[in-house]
Amino acid sequence: MFKPITIKDIAQALELSPSTVSRALSDSYEINEETKKRILEYAEKHNYRRNPIASSLRQGRSYSIGVIVCEVANSFFSQAIDGIESVAYGKGYHVIISQSHDSYEREVVNIQHLANRAVDGLLISMSAETKDFSHIINLHDQGLPIVFFDRIIDTFDTHTVTTNNREGAKKATQSLIDRGFKKIAHLANAPHLSITSERLEGYEEALRQNGIALEESLIRYCHHGGRIQQEVEEAVRYFLALPEKPEAIFVASDRLSMGCLSAYNNLAPKDRHPAVAGFSNSDVLDLLQSDFTCVHQPAFEMGRMAMELLIQLIESKYPVYDFDNVVLETELISR
Amino acid sequence: MFKPITIKDIAQALELSPSTVSRALSDSYEINEETKKRILEYAEKHNYRRNPIASSLRQGRSYSIGVIVCEVANSFFSQAIDGIESVAYGKGYHVIISQSHDSYEREVVNIQHLANRAVDGLLISMSAETKDFSHIINLHDQGLPIVFFDRIIDTFDTHTVTTNNREGAKKATQSLIDRGFKKIAHLANAPHLSITSERLEGYEEALRQNGIALEESLIRYCHHGGRIQQEVEEAVRYFLALPEKPEAIFVASDRLSMGCLSAYNNLAPKDRHPAVAGFSNSDVLDLLQSDFTCVHQPAFEMGRMAMELLIQLIESKYPVYDFDNVVLETELISR
DNA sequence: TACGCAATCGATACCGGTATCGATTGCGAC
DNA sequence: GTCGCAATCGATACCGGTATCGATTGCGTA
């Protein structure tokens, strides 16, 4: 088995002390430029690599952060992750990605796992199923820096990055109204998600401003965020069974849009489907249906910003009590 | 700042030695059941968590493995990752996901990063751009266990998990032939990928067996795997400019299929598009075009298997010289 | 009685960096 | 001449577990 070269090996070879080598390798001002050069050259030549494990142990920091999202196979989150990584790599942090699959249990396990792996901080977007936040509160109480993005909770104060969900939902709904639809249903995400209530508000506001009565019967929730296709089909089946079928649907998310369209294809293949507008960051969905209007979130930017705020928390020398709640604007893309 | 409880704290509190506590916590047979119970209870009560960093340092193992794929926003890879995780978590391993975005440089950086983070092994699916394998060979020579899946290289011997690309490509092409098409183009991935040549073979074989002459002019490669939409558009533009336009296209991958369909929509919105068949694990693409026939790979199973083989390598007490090259079958899904 | 051995637990070095405290040298200033 | 201080480097403890080697006790057996 290959045994990598250590700082002590270098020290011995150059007749220096380990501390000198360590300092030289981290470019300390205490070390003579000449010696520094010797050490760096030797290290380079012998392909020395710092052992981050040992380093972490001593420094009490791992220079890695954890990200928990429901799933990476989702355009919004994969774009957000790209944004996160773009900042992280630049600042020397490593990103560990974890998926909750919108399941409460997996969220708990994974967050625990990440905390155990001694991450320096967490970027969290809540799972759809989660109603109890104690697993997160505990870590926060223990001093672990946490930043929420997209799906946030307000149980305690910290940085958050979201989009203007209310306004986005309003714009999407308005676009459907502008196209002449009056009977507009809403296919919503899990009720306890922050984005769900905000988007619902926007939907309601658009209806109200256009003098359209809100019908509770036109709102359907998906408690697992569409993770189970069956729940989406149930909603669609419900819509199809209504005496007056909705002419259009405002769908809360990407995944739900796909599930919804797929369900309509399966359940009523020959029928004319209602028009659909909704939140989406997919670059595929636009191929799907020419009349699909979507609200696009600046996912990359959100990831970037969340990561920057997290690093700010991590590297702050003093406890932070002043938190940012960034809200970015959405973009309506219609065809 | 919160200071977590350590093994030494427990030892002191219970008037035992750290080694006894350590052994009790790992359920060693050397420790009396009674003492074990005392220790476990105390640890539980005081919410003790083992410090994996310290543990890794001493044991020379991190119980984490690295995965490098081109991107997670890809159904095939996200499904494979799910498979990987399903095995990993069960065996106490943590999965660190890294994206190459089909770029050679990012692949090198990320693999280096993972190796630095002292992963116990790597699961690699090669980037489309990569032609030089020395960064991987180096790590392998240093004894790092590596298993390739999907996009493999044969520069050195190790476990690999792939699908029967030749057969899958053949089936897809055959399905187009069965539908009466004779002029069938092939939109291929980067030429140096293993999957590219294998799928090309299947395409050629299907043509040959049906007495259709192979026309080199109908084969277009995307050197960046479709990462740059421009290259796909270029290929489509090429197809559109041919004196005899292809009636159908066999597309090598998911991403290329999307890019291809999108390009046709943009470049020739009013034209009737050629029929498309190709490799895909997307659950969206089937919504797209009713006549899209796809070859589905058992991605989850591939991930599962690759992870199991990797663990086998990692936990083997003796050097392994006998390697498995698993080839799973594809499934043709037509409508 | 003495010896072997299993059961149980302790002391300590060690994993590879790094923070801390100190030592040495040289030189300008008083 | 001595003092102060900057520059440069060394020795060592320490981070938190864990592998290694030993020590002790008790009991069965020759």
Side-chain angles (χ1 to χ4, degrees):
Chain A
M1 194 50 130
F2 183 83
K3 186 102 172 34
I5 182 176
T6 76
I7 259 188
K8 283 161 190 167
D9 297 332
I10 301 182
Q12 200 156 25
L14 300 183
E15 293 184 317
L16 290 166
S17 85
S19 39
T20 304
V21 177
S22 172
R23 275 182 283 227
L25 290 173
S26 46
D27 201 28
S28 160
Y29 69 96
E30 286 183 288
I31 305 298
N32 184 293
E33 286 303 326
E34 185 57 34
T35 344
K36 222 183 261 183
K37 220 181 79 189
R38 275 176 61 216
I39 294 175
L40 289 183
E41 271 172 7
Y42 187 92
E44 171 78 14
K45 187 176 158 209
H46 292 76
N47 201 30
Y48 167 80
R49 318 239 146 249
R50 181 200 311 256
N51 181 330
I53 301 283
S55 199
S56 293
L57 181 58
R58 180 68 240 238
Q59 298 191 126
R61 301 199 34 190
S62 62
Y63 282 97
S64 68
I65 65 105
V67 180
I68 298 109
V69 297
C70 59
E71 50 176 18
V72 292
N74 177 307
S75 303
F76 171 76
F77 289 114
S78 60
Q79 287 164 21
I81 287 173
D82 288 347
I84 292 169
E85 287 185 341
S86 76
V87 176
Y89 286 141
K91 303 237 180 183
Y93 284 84
H94 194 250
V95 178
I96 302 180
I97 303 165
S98 217
Q99 307 184 73
S100 70
H101 291 283
D102 269 334
S103 139
Y104 168 67
E105 287 170 35
R106 292 206 53 168
E107 179 181 286
V108 174
V109 171
N110 285 354
I111 288 187
Q112 214 34 268
H113 207 127
L114 287 176
N116 271 14
R117 291 292 309 168
V119 291
D120 295 340
L122 285 179
L123 287 178
I124 302 181
S125 180
M126 300 297 297
S127 135
E129 280 181 16
T130 304
K131 300 171 197 170
D132 177 11
F133 308 137
S134 51
H135 56 297
I136 297 177
I137 297 176
N138 279 340
L139 292 176
H140 181 255
D141 286 348
Q142 291 173 21
L144 186 70
I146 296 177
V147 172
F148 291 98
F149 70 103
D150 191 46
R151 303 153 161 218
I152 66 177
I153 63 178
D154 52 6
T155 314
F156 55 88
D157 247 18
T158 185
H159 294 314
T160 59
V161 178
T162 55
T163 43
N164 195 335
N165 285 301
R166 202 180 39 68
E167 200 57 32
K170 194 174 152 189
K171 282 192 286 189
T173 311
Q174 184 66 51
S175 82
L176 290 172
I177 297 174
D178 290 345
R179 284 166 62 192
F181 301 117
K182 292 209 178 309
K183 202 152 195 69
I184 302 172
H186 177 27
L187 185 59
N189 216 318
H192 28 275
L193 282 178
S194 60
I195 53 174
T196 299
S197 47
E198 292 174 21
R199 291 174 189 180
L200 180 61
E201 279 176 30
Y203 163 75
E204 292 176 352
E205 199 173 321
L207 294 184
R208 198 180 323 119
Q209 290 188 358
N210 288 272
I212 301 176
L214 174 71
E215 297 180 52
E216 291 288 350
S217 63
L218 286 179
I219 303 175
R220 292 280 100 182
Y221 293 95
C222 291
H223 291 257
H224 305 279
R227 185 165 64 98
I228 306 168
Q229 174 62 9
Q230 194 196 325
E231 61 174 342
V232 184
E233 285 195 0
E234 210 161 288
V236 168
R237 202 173 283 127
Y238 169 86
F239 287 144
L240 284 170
L242 283 177
E244 287 185 88
K245 295 178 193 165
E247 308 158 344
I249 309 181
F250 163 54
V251 186
S253 85
D254 225 335
R255 177 175 260 270
L256 288 175
S257 299
M258 296 186 208
C260 178
L261 293 170
S262 168
Y264 267 106
N265 277 345
N266 291 339
L267 298 173
K270 61 219 162 299
D271 283 26
R272 196 185 141 78
H273 304 166
V276 173
F279 278 75
S280 168
N281 274 55
S282 169
D283 41 356
V284 196
L285 267 185
D286 57 344
L287 290 175
L288 245 163
Q289 214 169 294
S290 48
D291 67 340
F292 179 70
T293 297
C294 66
V295 180
H296 191 269
Q297 300 182 85
F300 186 91
E301 182 62 19
M302 288 175 73
R304 235 182 41 69
M305 193 147 279
M307 186 64 207
E308 266 171 9
L309 290 173
L310 182 61
I311 291 184
Q312 215 170 289
L313 281 185
I314 292 173
E315 300 189 343
S316 161
K317 294 196 173 45
Y318 312 99
V320 178
Y321 297 112
D322 193 22
F323 297 107
D324 290 350
N325 297 111
V326 181
V327 179
L328 300 176
E329 288 305 320
T330 58
E331 185 190 0
L332 187 75
I333 300 177
S334 52
R335 277 165 279 275
Chain B
M1 194 52 132
F2 183 82
K3 185 100 172 42
I5 182 176
T6 77
I7 259 187
K8 281 161 190 166
D9 296 332
I10 301 182
Q12 201 156 24
L14 300 183
E15 293 184 317
L16 289 167
S17 85
S19 38
T20 303
V21 177
S22 172
R23 276 183 282 230
L25 290 173
S26 47
D27 201 27
S28 161
Y29 69 96
E30 285 182 289
I31 305 298
N32 184 294
E33 286 302 327
E34 185 57 35
T35 354
K36 222 182 264 185
K37 220 180 80 192
R38 275 177 61 217
I39 295 175
L40 288 183
E41 271 171 7
Y42 187 92
E44 171 79 14
K45 187 176 158 209
H46 291 75
N47 201 30
Y48 167 79
R49 316 237 146 251
R50 180 200 312 255
N51 182 329
I53 300 283
S55 199
S56 292
L57 181 57
R58 179 67 240 235
Q59 296 191 121
R61 303 199 33 190
S62 63
Y63 282 97
S64 68
I65 64 106
V67 180
I68 298 110
V69 296
C70 59
E71 51 177 17
V72 292
N74 177 307
S75 303
F76 171 75
F77 289 113
S78 59
Q79 288 163 21
I81 287 173
D82 288 346
I84 291 169
E85 288 185 340
S86 76
V87 175
Y89 287 141
K91 303 238 179 180
Y93 283 84
H94 193 250
V95 178
I96 302 180
I97 302 166
S98 216
Q99 306 185 72
S100 70
H101 292 283
D102 268 334
S103 140
Y104 168 67
E105 286 170 36
R106 292 207 53 167
E107 180 181 286
V108 173
V109 171
N110 286 353
I111 288 187
Q112 213 37 266
H113 207 126
L114 287 177
N116 271 16
R117 291 293 308 168
V119 292
D120 294 341
L122 286 178
L123 287 178
I124 302 180
S125 180
M126 300 297 297
S127 134
E129 280 181 17
T130 305
K131 299 171 197 169
D132 178 11
F133 309 136
S134 51
H135 56 297
I136 297 177
I137 297 175
N138 279 340
L139 292 175
H140 182 255
D141 286 348
Q142 290 173 20
L144 186 70
I146 296 176
V147 172
F148 291 99
F149 70 102
D150 191 46
R151 302 152 161 216
I152 67 176
I153 63 178
D154 53 6
T155 314
F156 56 86
D157 247 18
T158 185
H159 295 314
T160 60
V161 179
T162 55
T163 43
N164 195 334
N165 285 300
R166 203 181 39 70
E167 200 58 32
K170 193 173 152 188
K171 282 192 285 191
T173 311
Q174 183 67 52
S175 81
L176 291 171
I177 297 174
D178 290 346
R179 284 165 62 191
F181 303 118
K182 291 209 180 309
K183 202 152 195 65
I184 302 173
H186 176 28
L187 185 59
N189 216 317
H192 26 277
L193 283 178
S194 59
I195 53 175
T196 299
S197 48
E198 291 173 21
R199 292 175 189 179
L200 179 61
E201 278 177 30
Y203 163 74
E204 292 177 351
E205 199 173 320
L207 294 184
R208 197 179 323 120
Q209 289 188 358
N210 288 272
I212 302 176
L214 173 72
E215 296 179 52
E216 292 287 351
S217 63
L218 287 179
I219 303 174
R220 291 280 101 181
Y221 294 93
C222 291
H223 292 258
H224 306 278
R227 183 165 65 100
I228 306 165
Q229 174 63 9
Q230 194 195 325
E231 61 174 342
V232 185
E233 285 194 0
E234 210 160 288
V236 168
R237 202 172 284 126
Y238 169 86
F239 286 144
L240 284 169
L242 282 178
E244 287 184 89
K245 294 178 194 166
E247 308 159 343
I249 309 181
F250 162 55
V251 186
S253 84
D254 225 335
R255 176 175 259 272
L256 288 175
S257 299
M258 296 185 206
C260 178
L261 292 171
S262 168
Y264 266 107
N265 277 345
N266 291 338
L267 297 174
K270 59 218 163 299
D271 283 26
R272 197 184 141 78
H273 304 165
V276 173
F279 279 76
S280 169
N281 272 55
S282 168
D283 40 356
V284 196
L285 266 185
D286 57 345
L287 290 174
L288 244 163
Q289 213 169 294
S290 47
D291 68 340
F292 179 69
T293 297
C294 66
V295 181
H296 191 270
Q297 299 182 83
F300 186 91
E301 181 62 18
M302 287 175 72
R304 236 183 40 70
M305 193 148 278
M307 186 65 206
E308 267 171 8
L309 290 173
L310 182 60
I311 291 184
Q312 214 170 290
L313 281 185
I314 292 173
E315 301 189 342
S316 162
K317 295 196 173 47
Y318 313 99
V320 178
Y321 297 114
D322 192 21
F323 297 106
D324 289 351
N325 298 111
V326 181
V327 179
L328 300 176
E329 288 305 320
T330 58
E331 186 190 0
L332 187 74
I333 301 178
S334 51
R335 281 165 277 275

